[in-house]
Amino acid sequence: MGKTSLISRILNYSKQKGYRTVSLNLWSKENLNDLNNFLQGFCATLSYELGLEDKIDQSWKRRLSSQVNCTNYFKDYLLKNIDVPLVLGLDDIDKIFPYPEIAQEFFALLRAWHENGKNEEIWQKLRLVIAHSQEVYVSLNVNQSPFNVGLSVEIGEFNATQIKELVERHQLNWSDTQIEQLRGMIDGHPYLLRTALYQIATGNLTLEQFLKVAPTDEGLFRGFLHPYLSLLEEDKLLKAAFQKVINSDIPVKLDSVQTFKLRSLGLIKFKGNQVQCLCNLYCLYFRERLSE
C-alpha cells in the first residue's frame, strides 16, 4: 500500500533536518525464538548502522533482564554517543506478530522508551517510526502497546480524485471513461495503480492491453499475486472463506477469524459488517485458480 515508500520519505526528510536515521527490516526467524538473542541482535545492528563499536558483551549484565539490558544499552551507549536526534524506522514489524513472547516484550519496550521521552532528556533523542501491513493481533496491555500512542496513519486506497491526479502525474491524457476502466480493474490500490500507470506511461503496453492481461499470468501482477495463492491453498478454511467472497456479486458475512485474516492480507474490504473483494483483479485472478 506504500508504507515502505512513506517510511523512506520520512527518514529522508529527517536526514535533511540533520537527524541520524536508521531503517531496520531484519526480522529473521533465527532471531525470533529467544528474546535475549533478539534484543542483542537488535542492539548490534543499530551499533553497526550508527558506526559505533559493538559493546554488547561488555554492557549486557547477566543478573539483569534482557529488556533492562537493552534499555541501558540504548540510554547509556547509543543515545549518549550521538549529538542529534535518532529517527529509528522499523518496517514490516508485523513479521514479529506470530512470535507472541518476543512481540509482547519488544513492543512493551518500545512503548516504555516513548514514555521515557516525556521525562528524560536523553530519551527525547529517540524518534520511532513503526510500519506494519497487518492488523495488530498481538495481545497487549493497553498501557504496553506502542500502537496507541503518537501519530497513527492508515494508508488506504486512493479515491477518485487522487487516481485522476496520479494519472495526470504520469502525463497521461485520459478521459474519465479510461480512468474508470482502470479503476474498474484495480480500484484504488496504490501499488497496483502505480505499477500499471508506470508501465503504460513508459509505452510498455496500452490501457487496453493491460486490462486484457491483468488478471492472467501474462499480466504485470503474477509475482505479486502468486504468494497469496500459495497462502490460500495452504489454509483450507481461509480458501473456502475467500471463495465465498469472490463468487458473490454482493458483500457477504464471514466469521471473525477468517475476516481478520483476509483483511490482514489485504484481499477484502469492509462494507458495513460484511465484506467484499478488494478489487476486480483479485476476483478474476483467484476465481479461476481457486476453483481448480
Side-chain angles (χ1 to χ4, degrees), residues 233-279:
E233 292 290 3
E234 290 171 3
D235 189 329
K236 292 182 179 180
L237 291 177
L238 195 63
K239 176 181 177 180
F242 193 50
Q243 284 177 311
K244 182 178 178 180
V245 174
I246 60 180
N247 289 325
S248 174
D249 294 328
I250 59 174
V252 299
K253 181 76 172 179
L254 300 178
D255 74 71
S256 59
V257 174
Q258 305 310 324
T259 297
F260 178 84
K261 289 182 178 180
L262 290 172
R263 174 67 177 83
S264 294
L265 288 171
L267 295 176
I268 61 173
K269 57 186 174 183
F270 286 108
K271 285 292 182 179
N273 291 324
Q274 298 179 310
V275 299
Q276 67 181 38
C277 196
L278 187 75
C279 63

Side-chain angles (χ1 to χ4, degrees), residues 83-102:
D83 54 7
V84 295
L86 167 64
V87 182
L88 176 57
L90 305 177
D91 198 6
D92 286 335
I93 207 168
D94 45 280
K95 290 181 180 177
I96 305 179
F97 291 173
Y99 304 86
E101 292 184 3
I102 301 288

Side-chain angles (χ1 to χ4, degrees), residues 179-194:
I179 294 175
E180 281 305 309
Q181 287 177 324
L182 178 71
R183 191 181 181 191
M185 177 60 72
I186 53 180
D187 211 335
H189 192 292
Y191 170 76
L192 301 181
L193 284 168
R194 178 75 174 90

Side-chain angles (χ1 to χ4, degrees), residues 34-50:
D34 179 82
L35 180 63
N36 193 61
N37 288 340
F38 172 76
L39 293 179
Q40 285 190 353
F42 181 67
C43 289
T45 302
L46 275 168
S47 300
Y48 174 79
E49 293 292 336
L50 291 170

Side-chain angles (χ1 to χ4, degrees), residues 1-7 131-132 153-158 190 263:
M1 299 297 283
K3 62 182 177 53
T4 299
S5 176
L6 177 59
I7 208 170
H132 57 94
V153 178
E154 181 173 352
I155 303 178
E157 294 180 271
F158 290 160
R263 174 67 177 83

Side-chain angles (χ1 to χ4, degrees), residues 192-246:
L192 301 181
L193 284 168
R194 178 75 174 90
T195 301
L197 289 172
Y198 175 79
Q199 293 296 326
I200 294 171
T202 52
N204 291 327
L205 75 171
T206 64
L207 173 61
E208 291 71 22
Q209 291 170 329
F210 166 75
L211 295 172
K212 181 179 179 181
V213 302
T216 74
D217 285 333
E218 184 186 352
L220 299 175
F221 305 121
R222 179 180 181 275
F224 176 77
L225 295 171
H226 198 265
Y228 292 115
L229 185 61
S230 299
L231 283 170
L232 291 166
E233 292 290 3
E234 290 171 3
D235 189 329
K236 292 182 179 180
L237 291 177
L238 195 63
K239 176 181 177 180
F242 193 50
Q243 284 177 311
K244 182 178 178 180
V245 174
I246 60 180

